[in-house]
């Protein structure tokens, strides 16, 4: 019967803790991106990789416990969806760093501005996760601020892409444009998943408040 007790036992503290840890990793990876943009050295790329790997491990543990638990503090679909959105956010920010390294992009157009807003978004998501259980109303406010960040990032993305493809002079400029576009696309994708995480937090608040 021990296995049944373990299966039925709620793991609210565990799931909340794992989600908050993912939020911490989201903040850490955006900080790593900003640090790399300030000075592109291999050591900073390696730091970003370590953060991404640690975040993946946290998500794996969360999913394992989710499969091993019958009673959860929130809908299991919401827990999984929120965790996956945070993990994708982290992955896309890391992909940005990795492609900056691979493509050897110097002074990428628009990336610093988008990275700044993405860092703000990560901090709002982290705060929302910290407040989710005890202060759901405050969590909602932070989630809405995260969603506002997504709108700002998409606006920056469209403007930067339009300026980027403004009459290239030669094939070299075309190649630079394509590399920059890939980097910018990862930042936009990260923002999309941050927005999904914020939406899920809002859903949880509505269902459980």
């Amino acid at each position: 019967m021990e296995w049944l007790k373990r299966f039925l036992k709620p793991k609210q503290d565990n799931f909340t803790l794992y989600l908050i840890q993912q939020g911490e990793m989201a903040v850490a990876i955006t900080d790593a991106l900003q640090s790399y943009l300030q000075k592109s050295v291999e050591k900073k790329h390696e730091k970003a990789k370590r953060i991404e790997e640690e975040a993946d491990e946290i998500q794996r543990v969360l999913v394992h416990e989710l499969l091993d638990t019958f009673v959860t503090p929130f809908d299991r679909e919401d827990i999984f969806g929120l965790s996956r959105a945070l993990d994708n956010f982290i992955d896309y920010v890391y992909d940005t760093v990795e492609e900056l390294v691979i493509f050897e992009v110097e002074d990428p157009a628009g990336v610093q501005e988008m990275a700044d807003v993405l860092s703000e978004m990560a901090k709002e998501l982290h705060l929302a996760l910290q407040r989710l259980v005890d202060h759901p109303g405050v969590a909602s406010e932070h989630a809405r601020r995260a969603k506002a960040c997504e709108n700002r990032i998409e606006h920056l993305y469209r403007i930067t892409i339009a300026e980027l493809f403004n009459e290239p002079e030669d094939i070299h400029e075309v190649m630079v444009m394509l590399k920059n576009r890939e980097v910018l696309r990862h930042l936009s994708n990260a923002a999309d998943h941050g927005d999904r995480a914020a939406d899920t937090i809002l859903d949880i608040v509505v269902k459980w408040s």
Side-chain angles (χ1 to χ4, degrees), residues 166-174 177:
N166 186 23
E167 298 181 2
E169 294 183 0
D170 53 38
I171 190 62
H172 173 72
E173 284 196 8
V174 171
M177 288 176 181

Side-chain angles (χ1 to χ4, degrees), residues 98-196:
E98 189 170 41
E99 291 204 346
L100 285 169
V101 174
I102 294 172
F103 291 154
E104 298 180 342
V105 178
E106 296 181 3
D107 192 25
V111 171
Q112 184 64 66
E113 293 84 352
M114 290 176 69
D116 289 343
V117 182
L118 208 60
S119 177
E120 183 181 339
M121 184 184 213
K123 291 173 183 175
E124 293 294 347
L125 288 171
H126 186 213
L127 287 168
L129 292 164
Q130 289 177 310
R131 307 292 185 265
L132 185 56
V133 173
D134 294 327
H135 303 284
V138 178
S140 291
E141 293 177 11
H142 288 297
R144 292 190 185 96
R145 291 174 188 171
K147 289 180 66 62
C149 289
E150 191 271 343
N151 291 333
R152 289 160 58 195
I153 289 170
E154 289 309 305
H155 178 68
L156 286 169
Y157 175 74
R158 288 192 292 270
I159 290 176
T160 305
I161 288 293
E163 293 176 350
L164 192 63
F165 283 84
N166 186 23
E167 298 181 2
E169 294 183 0
D170 53 38
I171 190 62
H172 173 72
E173 284 196 8
V174 171
M175 295 303 297
V176 171
M177 288 176 181
L178 294 175
K179 290 178 180 180
N180 275 274
R181 184 187 64 177
E182 285 302 299
V183 173
L184 292 167
R185 186 171 59 84
H186 285 311
L187 292 172
S188 175
N189 286 338
D192 288 342
H193 287 285
D195 187 63
R196 290 178 190 174

Side-chain angles (χ1 to χ4, degrees), residues 13-30:
D13 290 342
N14 282 4
F15 289 121
T16 303
L17 175 62
Y18 294 143
L19 291 169
I20 290 172
Q21 287 176 339
Q22 285 189 276
E24 291 174 359
M25 293 297 100
V27 173
I29 198 71
T30 55

Side-chain angles (χ1 to χ4, degrees), residues 13-150:
D13 290 342
N14 282 4
F15 289 121
T16 303
L17 175 62
Y18 294 143
L19 291 169
I20 290 172
Q21 287 176 339
Q22 285 189 276
E24 291 174 359
M25 293 297 100
V27 173
I29 198 71
T30 55
D31 286 347
L33 170 61
Q34 290 183 310
S35 179
Y36 184 84
L37 289 170
Q38 292 170 7
K39 188 175 182 181
S40 54
V41 295
E42 181 63 24
K43 185 177 180 180
K44 294 184 177 182
H45 173 232
E46 292 172 356
K47 180 180 178 181
K49 179 61 177 175
R50 287 195 300 271
I51 293 169
E52 190 267 343
E53 290 174 347
E54 184 177 348
D56 280 346
E57 184 65 13
I58 293 169
Q59 210 251 350
R60 279 192 289 269
V61 172
L62 181 146
V63 171
H64 174 77
E65 292 208 7
L66 190 60
L67 294 172
D68 198 39
T69 306
F70 183 71
V71 179
T72 57
F74 314 118
D75 287 351
R76 61 199 313 107
E77 293 85 358
D78 288 337
I79 294 172
F80 178 73
L82 179 52
S83 178
R84 180 172 58 182
L86 292 166
D87 188 61
N88 287 336
F89 176 94
I90 293 164
D91 286 344
Y92 274 116
V93 177
Y94 172 69
D95 288 344
T96 303
V97 177
E98 189 170 41
E99 291 204 346
L100 285 169
V101 174
I102 294 172
F103 291 154
E104 298 180 342
V105 178
E106 296 181 3
D107 192 25
V111 171
Q112 184 64 66
E113 293 84 352
M114 290 176 69
D116 289 343
V117 182
L118 208 60
S119 177
E120 183 181 339
M121 184 184 213
K123 291 173 183 175
E124 293 294 347
L125 288 171
H126 186 213
L127 287 168
L129 292 164
Q130 289 177 310
R131 307 292 185 265
L132 185 56
V133 173
D134 294 327
H135 303 284
V138 178
S140 291
E141 293 177 11
H142 288 297
R144 292 190 185 96
R145 291 174 188 171
K147 289 180 66 62
C149 289
E150 191 271 343

